[in-house]
Amino acid sequence: MRVLGIETSCDETAAAVVTEGGDVLSDVVRSQVALHAPYGGVVPEVAARDHARAVVPVVREALARAGVTAADLDGVAVTSRPGLAGALLVGLQTAKGLAWAAGKPLVGVDHLVGHLLAVFLRRDGARSTPATSAPPTSEEQPAFPYVALLASGGHTAIYRVDGPALGAIRELGATRDDAAGEAFDKVAKLLGLGYPGGPVVDRLAATGDAAAAAEAVPAVMARKESLEFSFSGIKSAVARHVAKRGRPEGQALNDLCAAFQGAVVDALVQKTVRAARAEGIERVVLAGGVAANRGLRAKMAAACARRGLGLFVPPFASCTDNGAMIAYAGALRLAAGERDTLDLAPETRTALPRVTRKGGGVR
């Protein structure tokens, strides 16, 4: 089965052709980072208009690289939720038109499910390999069930994944406010590091001393019994530090980045490992754009190794938004006999049930 996947949920226009076994035949991603950088974040209307200009050339390139035509496809998958409404609409209308014209089945995919299954993608003949000494698995991929940390610019949550279907994925805890990637971007903006902030903070943190700036950065919602996150407090702490002392430079800037990243990463690692142990599951998966963070990868690998947990980390191309994860999730829906009609509409919220309530206050 060969499925075309189209992804336009935020600021990447992406298309890919993938088999139901996870083999990536092509994967084309057109980023809008330079377009949104002057604004310090994604502007929804600008994103939608750029998707409209780019989506057809991107789809054509994905088909050409895979060496197939629309007639050769077994289906068309598209991100239908969650995301920016206008951006989602561009991808949906493109997928509908292509599926109707080629007489192919259409399936909508939840963007978060795509991330949670991206670990199964095979790029250049290789799957995601265990990052630690893992318990026995099949063909170097995680067996179900596994606990997944999904951390990105718009979402941060821990899930128990018992299978690829919506009903087999359960949220264990999520952020009450900002997502981890959003916190990275906001702190980078406070420090004058530009957009997107995550890669820059990660790079500077590698040469920083977190202990030297520890007083400026509090722990992130460190209650031991909680699997929820809150990143608004640490962002505000950095803002107060900058307001009082000014923007740091040189080594002081690196130290502050190291302290900030360390606090965020510690929370993500500790709560993910805690969730795996509470669920009695020996496999942990990283997903989402923040999974490309080197500090997170290193600390999660060390923590899982200490506790005998198997850690599976997708390659960088499978962490950030891409069409391959949408095509693969769609291929699994098609293989299960699921189809959507041309009435499929964009939804800004995920279909996965939420257990974490947004906002502060006693739970």
Side-chain angles (χ1 to χ4, degrees):
M1 182 182 292
R2 290 174 293 189
V3 176
L4 171 71
I6 300 174
E7 154 63 24
T8 62
S9 65
C10 190
D11 60 341
E12 276 91 18
T13 309
V17 179
V18 176
T19 71
E20 64 179 307
D23 292 300
V24 180
L25 306 182
S26 67
D27 189 17
V28 179
V29 180
R30 182 184 187 277
S31 174
Q32 297 180 2
V33 166
L35 194 63
H36 298 285
Y39 308 103
V42 177
V43 181
E45 180 65 18
V46 173
R49 290 180 180 274
D50 195 66
H51 285 310
R53 287 189 291 266
V55 66
V56 171
V58 166
V59 168
R60 284 176 174 163
E61 180 66 18
L63 293 174
R65 291 188 188 181
V68 299
T69 66
D72 300 319
L73 298 172
D74 295 289
V76 179
V78 60
T79 303
S80 57
R81 62 192 307 164
L84 303 173
L88 289 170
L89 187 61
V90 173
L92 267 171
Q93 295 302 94
T94 304
K96 288 179 183 180
L98 183 59
W100 178 83
K104 304 297 179 181
L106 172 74
V107 286
V109 172
D110 190 296
H111 182 80
L112 303 191
V113 175
H115 274 304
L116 293 172
L117 299 178
V119 69
F120 294 105
L121 293 174
R122 187 197 301 270
R123 294 178 180 273
D124 298 324
R127 292 190 186 276
S128 303
T129 54
T132 65
S133 298
T137 60
S138 60
E139 299 180 0
E140 296 184 332
Q141 59 180 305
F144 295 113
Y146 55 82
V147 166
L149 169 66
L150 197 170
S152 67
H155 309 277
T156 297
I158 302 171
Y159 294 93
R160 176 183 173 126
V161 183
D162 288 285
L166 283 172
I169 301 173
R170 178 164 57 92
E171 181 189 300
L172 302 176
T175 180
R176 295 181 177 183
D177 39 59
D178 292 349
E182 184 180 3
F184 270 95
D185 287 340
K186 288 180 177 179
V187 166
K189 187 174 182 178
L190 287 169
L191 298 177
L193 300 178
Y195 172 85
V200 182
V201 172
D202 187 26
R203 176 172 55 82
L204 296 179
T207 56
D209 178 8
E215 79 285 349
V217 181
V220 176
M221 200 172 172
R223 288 194 297 131
K224 291 184 177 180
E225 71 279 7
S226 175
L227 295 179
E228 297 180 354
F229 304 94
S230 174
F231 298 108
S232 62
I234 190 172
K235 173 198 65 181
S236 298
V238 173
R240 289 193 296 269
H241 179 78
V242 171
K244 182 178 180 181
R245 302 189 181 184
R247 286 178 175 173
E249 298 179 352
Q251 187 58 42
L253 175 60
N254 298 351
D255 294 343
L256 184 57
C257 287
F260 167 76
Q261 176 164 293
V264 172
V265 166
D266 284 346
L268 295 173
V269 170
Q270 292 167 10
K271 298 197 177 206
T272 301
V273 170
R274 187 182 306 152
R277 298 183 71 182
E279 294 294 316
I281 295 175
E282 298 180 319
R283 291 164 294 276
V284 173
V285 167
L286 290 185
V290 178
N293 182 281
R294 293 171 296 177
L296 174 59
R297 287 176 173 236
K299 285 193 176 182
M300 188 70 81
C304 287
R306 286 195 301 269
R307 292 163 178 79
L309 301 174
L311 174 63
F312 294 82
V313 185
F316 292 121
S318 294
C319 293
T320 53
D321 290 353
N322 62 89
M325 68 183 190
I326 303 304
Y328 177 64
L332 295 184
R333 286 199 63 198
L334 288 168
E338 300 177 24
R339 305 287 189 275
D340 285 308
T341 68
L342 295 181
D343 293 331
L344 182 64
E347 297 286 346
T348 58
R349 296 186 177 183
T350 178
L352 296 174
R354 294 179 177 178
V355 300
T356 300
R357 180 168 61 85
K358 295 289 186 179
V362 179
R363 296 297 194 268

